[in-house]
Amino acid sequence: MEYILEPWPWYVSGPLIAIVMFLLLYFGRTFGMSSNLRTLCAIGGAGKKVEFFKFDWKAQRWNLVVVLGAIVGGFIAHFYLSNPIDIDLSENTISDLNNLGFTNAGDSLLPPELFSWENVFTLKGLSILIIGGLLVGFGTRYAGGCTSGHAITGLSSLQLPSLIAVIGFFLGGLLMIHLIYPILF
Amino acid sequence: MGKYIKFFLVGIFFGIVLVKSEAVSWYRIFEMFKFQSFHMYGIIGTAVVSGVLFLLIAKQFNIKTIEGNSIKVPLKAKGLSRYIIGGTIFGLGWALCGACPGPMYILVGTGTISMIIVIAAAILGTYLYGVLKDKLPH
């Protein structure tokens, strides 16, 4: 039990994620989380106005059930399967974050500087979450997948488009952290 | 209802793994893009290597899906622009809010209710793509 309550090492976590992918393929489906955003648009009636959302979203309900499970899984893992210990970040990361104004890095899963209510309801805080979400939603659909569909499933099946997409993911991430963060924070 | 239970269970397992691996943490994503820890690279790397092996084994032993078909990974369409531009846009957002489309939901489960704002914005972003799709290079 102690091993479960401790954070899981990368060499355990990675193969377990591959098992998630494999199970979904075994069930005749596929591992792709961002597709749910399109399904949610369709459920909201977007298909009446935009061709891209005119599809049989009911055939995608299984994936929304995966999402529902993931939320429950997050709850179980966080509240019942975790010792309250800090994330073991590298010293450099902690000091870099400190310089950007993020204190107590690793105390929690997410920085309160971005996700606590008092910061969410500032113009800057709200803008960051909304712009971040917009970019994720727009970018994943444009690229036809996210970390699960391209980085895990696409690379596992040795698909060149997924490799290109993953290079894009890193290009964007590096731009944000190295060039835009110093301006934002 | 019964046919959905297995998906619900896989989802729970997925949520648990991503929390326990700390892959849902904004801090871990920041650290990854700073190249200051091997952790996230280890997770993605071993996931991909295991995934390759699983697919090879499935092919070798002709493992069928529960519906009796061969295990098939959907093929991504050929192209360059959409993957590099779309990928970069996603990367910018991923690094900004530290969450990709799986962790977004999982983090709501861990009690970060403000993540719902990110999810709502992501739905809107997907909608915007749908509207602009035919005007974009693919």
Side-chain angles (χ1 to χ4, degrees):
Chain A
M1 194 62 194
E2 202 46 40
Y3 284 112
I4 290 182
L5 295 177
E6 297 289 316
W8 296 356
W10 53 265
Y11 50 83
V12 172
S13 311
L16 292 179
I17 294 172
I19 289 176
V20 171
M21 175 197 79
F22 188 79
L23 281 174
L24 291 172
L25 289 170
Y26 176 67
F27 294 154
R29 306 300 201 282
T30 189
F31 185 30
M33 283 293 120
S34 62
S35 306
N36 290 302
L37 296 167
R38 184 184 178 206
T39 307
L40 290 169
C41 283
I43 291 177
K48 281 182 215 130
K49 287 198 175 128
V50 184
E51 190 66 31
F52 183 63
F53 301 107
K54 219 174 276 173
F55 65 99
D56 177 23
W57 61 262
K58 287 189 179 154
Q60 296 297 314
R61 276 188 294 209
W62 65 271
N63 211 352
L64 294 177
V65 176
V66 175
V67 167
L68 213 61
I71 297 172
V72 174
F75 178 82
I76 295 172
H78 189 65
F79 293 102
Y80 296 100
L81 295 178
S82 295
N83 284 331
I85 48 166
D86 294 357
I87 297 172
D88 188 22
L89 297 167
S90 86
E91 286 300 325
N92 291 334
T93 304
I94 294 171
S95 84
D96 285 354
L97 281 168
N98 240 313
N99 292 335
L100 290 173
F102 292 88
T103 51
N104 305 321
D107 260 14
S108 47
L109 282 173
L110 300 172
E113 287 86 351
L114 290 179
F115 292 94
S116 74
W117 288 117
E118 53 178 331
N119 289 314
V120 166
F121 289 121
T122 60
L123 182 63
K124 184 180 168 184
L126 194 61
S127 308
I128 288 175
L129 297 193
I130 291 177
I131 293 170
L134 281 172
L135 292 169
V136 168
F138 189 92
T140 51
R141 208 68 273 121
Y142 194 177
C146 60
T147 331
S148 51
H150 277 308
I152 309 293
T153 313
L155 291 186
S156 289
S157 50
L158 310 176
Q159 298 195 51
L160 181 63
S162 293
L163 181 63
I164 302 170
V166 173
I167 291 170
F169 299 172
F170 271 84
L171 213 60
L174 293 174
L175 278 173
M176 178 57 70
I177 299 289
H178 293 268
L179 296 179
I180 306 178
Y181 265 42
I183 302 168
L184 279 180
F185 302 107
Chain B
M1 194 60 222
K3 62 178 178 174
Y4 287 121
I5 284 177
K6 57 182 180 295
F7 295 112
F8 188 61
L9 294 177
V10 170
I12 291 179
F13 181 67
F14 177 51
I16 291 175
V17 172
L18 282 212
V19 170
K20 294 305 304 179
S21 66
E22 297 169 344
V24 295
S25 172
W26 180 95
Y27 296 111
R28 283 294 191 193
I29 305 302
F30 178 90
E31 187 183 51
M32 169 178 77
F33 286 126
K34 280 273 188 174
F35 301 108
Q36 288 166 335
S37 164
F38 182 70
H39 187 78
M40 288 301 303
Y41 296 99
I43 293 176
I44 298 172
T46 51
V48 171
V49 170
S50 316
V52 170
L53 289 176
F54 288 159
L55 292 176
L56 280 177
I57 292 168
K59 202 171 172 190
Q60 194 66 35
F61 294 94
N62 199 16
I63 297 174
K64 303 279 186 206
T65 67
I66 48 169
E67 289 151 346
N69 305 312
S70 304
I71 287 190
K72 262 202 303 276
V73 180
L75 290 180
K76 302 287 184 191
K78 295 263 174 288
L80 177 66
S81 319
R82 69 174 300 179
Y83 297 114
I84 198 77
I85 305 171
T88 303
I89 295 173
F90 163 55
L92 288 165
W94 185 18
L96 185 58
C97 51
C100 43
M104 273 180 194
Y105 306 110
I106 297 169
L107 285 162
V108 173
T110 67
T112 310
I113 306 303
S114 53
M115 194 54 84
I116 291 173
I117 297 169
V118 179
I119 298 174
I123 294 171
L124 184 63
T126 300
Y127 180 75
L128 288 176
Y129 168 75
V131 172
L132 299 173
K133 183 173 175 286
D134 296 332
K135 299 192 175 75
L136 300 168
H138 277 81

